Amino acid sequence: MFNEKPKALAKKYKEALLSDVIPFWEKHSVDEKYGGYFSCLDRDGTAYDTDKFIWLQARQVWTFSMLYNRVDSKDKWLSIAEKGYQFLKEHGMDASGNWYFSMNRRGEPLIQPYNIFSDCFAALAFHEYYQATGEEEARTIAIRTYENILDRRDNPKGQYEKSVRGTRPLKGFALPMMLSVLNLEMENILDQKKVEQSLDRCIHEVTEIFWDDKQKVMHEYVLKNGSYSDSYEGRLVNPGHGIEAMWFLMEIGRRRSDQKLIEKATDITLNLIEFGWDSEYGGIYYFLDAEGHPPLQLEWTQKLWWVHLETLIALSKGYLLTERSESAKWYQKVHDYSWKRFNDSDYGEWFGYLNRQGERYTTLKGSKWKGCFHVPRAMYECWQTFEELAQKE
Amino acid sequence: MFNEKPKALAKKYKEALLSDVIPFWEKHSVDEKYGGYFSCLDRDGTAYDTDKFIWLQARQVWTFSMLYNRVDSKDKWLSIAEKGYQFLKEHGMDASGNWYFSMNRRGEPLIQPYNIFSDCFAALAFHEYYQATGEEEARTIAIRTYENILDRRDNPKGQYEKSVRGTRPLKGFALPMMLSVLNLEMENILDQKKVEQSLDRCIHEVTEIFWDDKQKVMHEYVLKNGSYSDSYEGRLVNPGHGIEAMWFLMEIGRRRSDQKLIEKATDITLNLIEFGWDSEYGGIYYFLDAEGHPPLQLEWTQKLWWVHLETLIALSKGYLLTERSESAKWYQKVHDYSWKRFNDSDYGEWFGYLNRQGERYTTLKGSKWKGCFHVPRAMYECWQTFEELAQKE
């Protein structure tokens, strides 16, 4: 089904992860002076900005702890995870335990805790670090953060919420999706019954409320009563975001031996890639409007690294779990597109941003939004998937 | 100096304004049912979204009142201005007289008054409508809004301000610039002494604090003490925004017979266009980083209609007031670039957004950000400038 054998693909991803991507972050991102990590890195790894963003600090703690837990218990990896863990523990929270959005190099807070995903990534990071070290304080903070998130879920932005209550009450797709990941990853330290209830709720919301079986799109926002909102927010589709959610659902399906859920997630993945694929220049659009109007986001035609990586995970996992040839066919198409354009064989890691035509308009390796997360996670996930496929053969 | 004679250019702009641009908005934007205007218009003028954004509602009231005041006292123009004036007066403000950011078609508020520029555009609109009608209520609201803006100027976002006080106290270039426009336009209903003080302060801030004579860029943000901030915000340059401010300064210079100020504004315009011009594909970049790093804005390479229109105003005015050949040379270059690519000779008005290569990636005529403002204002300003140039000859 693939141009290369699963064994060879497993090797490709493993080598990319261990000999290219991780060494790049090991070498360039650690702030030896103040702790934490630089995420704003030029093509060759030089830091061009030293601000520290909680999303990216936490994701890197998660990545290095995850590698330690799942790949190899290397001291070096744990010590890099600890650099971020200590920095976050000392500087990352306000007095109520809410996570700031960003800090300067020294850890002084710059942006208030308006963004609940900072808390989500922090909870995942501290949980994974706890798994690696058994450090009780990491566990305590992970649980407290998780509970904070549940308390804030109905009004996640708090005082910073700018929409007027009542006129057009929307709910977003991102938070229920993220909660399912939190529940999946942290289940060993959470109440088992609550985890199952939360996963049920998430599956229902994603596959029956946000997924629109008529328009065949995943809405980023729907009205609180579940119906469609004909507005910029309601029409917005982020194909990569929907596809990323589908491989989370496949994992839930696998864990519950729920083949129906896996098939559904595969269907949706295939629908979304058909909707999101740029038939003229190739690659997956960043944003689209469900009804074909111009999206507000001026970058909507661009091709982003994480969109393509999450799609590679979802398609390979979908093929592993359903054996559908459509998944393999699309995997190959996205693989060819992505490895050719995003991979930087000169300096390591992946480029982040291409224009519609597939050309790089910037060579950065990291920024306020791109860090040590999507690339290594996808390399790890695809490596494991192709390893399983190889063993099945 | 120009490829066409000033007389011909004046005619070109006048005809574009009166036979192309304004008819487009007259025909497609007025909401006869609920009042106010549609701003989200497809290429042919069809509304694809009916939300109403205060910036764009107010700017259209201003435009039609301005045309009535300065071009021709046509009943039709006044009645279109009134449509927006009534809608804004009834629905646009919260109980304290602060202006919302957006509303749905019926005028129910969607987004809270977090954005002080909503208030700025409302004040300008209500003042211009007062000039047209003598309507006392319009004057009262214009003055109250102006005073509200002054009260809020040190913390314009109020509770919605997300930066942590003290760590990196920045001030923005947009507000002082906007205040100078308010003072210039509204001076006939404001205290004369305060107007002069405010203009002095604005000239000082713009030409000595935000303008960086070493880097030859206009910073969008500096530290409150006036010094450079080596951060994403501090490094951000928006060449079109700086250039737009320069023609406001030229107008202040003209009003005060301050030739030195006019020369300075012309110098800065020329510096900014040299900095912002894309030497490979032509056109002016939307955003740049003062030190050449990648800007955060993924749309930074794009070429936007308003950037080029504001530049045409600044260069033509600069030439009129200084007779410098550099201004004329650059005017011609930007003219050739812009008229060829933005102007829609099939359906009227201008396209808004080109990719770096100068190709349209959307054909919208209006949106949440593009409305009846930059195009007609620039057509009017350039018409007047070339008329003056023709008379000088």
Side-chain angles (χ1 to χ4, degrees), chain B residues 126-138:
Chain B
F126 276 49
H127 170 265
E128 198 69 27
Y129 186 77
Y130 164 70
Q131 300 288 93
T133 58
E135 179 112 6
E136 203 47 42
E137 202 180 356

Side-chain angles (χ1 to χ4, degrees), chain B residues 231-262:
Chain B
S231 60
Y232 278 113
E233 295 83 2
R235 292 190 304 268
L236 184 66
V237 181
N238 179 332
H241 194 209
I243 290 170
E244 178 181 14
M246 289 309 102
W247 75 258
F248 300 154
L249 286 199
M250 291 176 202
E251 285 302 325
I252 299 175
R254 180 134 81 152
R255 178 178 165 287
R256 292 182 160 187
S257 305
D258 181 347
Q259 190 63 23
K260 224 177 117 190
L261 179 59
I262 292 171

Side-chain angles (χ1 to χ4, degrees), chain B residues 266-280:
Chain B
T266 306
D267 284 339
I268 294 178
T269 302
L270 293 168
N271 276 304
L272 283 175
I273 187 141
E274 269 156 33
F275 183 79
W277 186 257
D278 179 348
S279 56
E280 194 170 346

Side-chain angles (χ1 to χ4, degrees), chain A residues 1-6 8-10 12-13 269-270 273 277 308-320 324-339 350 378-379 382-383 385-386 389:
Chain A
M1 290 308 302
F2 304 106
N3 290 350
E4 293 163 85
K5 288 202 179 294
L9 285 165
K12 183 183 186 77
Y13 282 107
T269 301
L270 292 169
I273 187 141
W277 186 257
H308 294 78
L309 286 165
E310 297 302 320
T311 303
L312 290 173
I313 301 175
L315 290 167
S316 56
K317 234 182 251 286
Y319 180 70
L320 170 69
R324 281 205 240 164
S325 61
E326 275 296 287
S327 293
K329 198 197 86 190
W330 270 111
Y331 171 85
Q332 191 64 51
K333 205 163 169 174
V334 180
H335 176 108
D336 293 344
Y337 180 90
S338 306
W339 277 93
W350 276 33
M379 297 296 148
C382 290
W383 164 25
T385 298
F386 285 110
L389 272 167

Side-chain angles (χ1 to χ4, degrees), chain A residues 55-84:
Chain A
W55 281 34
L56 302 197
Q57 300 294 313
R59 284 166 154 191
Q60 187 158 349
V61 171
W62 179 89
T63 299
F64 277 89
S65 302
M66 181 280 281
L67 291 172
Y68 181 88
N69 292 332
R70 303 183 208 173
V71 178
D72 189 357
S73 47
K74 284 170 75 168
D75 288 345
K76 186 173 185 187
W77 287 348
L78 194 59
S79 110
I80 290 176
E82 199 205 346
K83 284 270 182 196

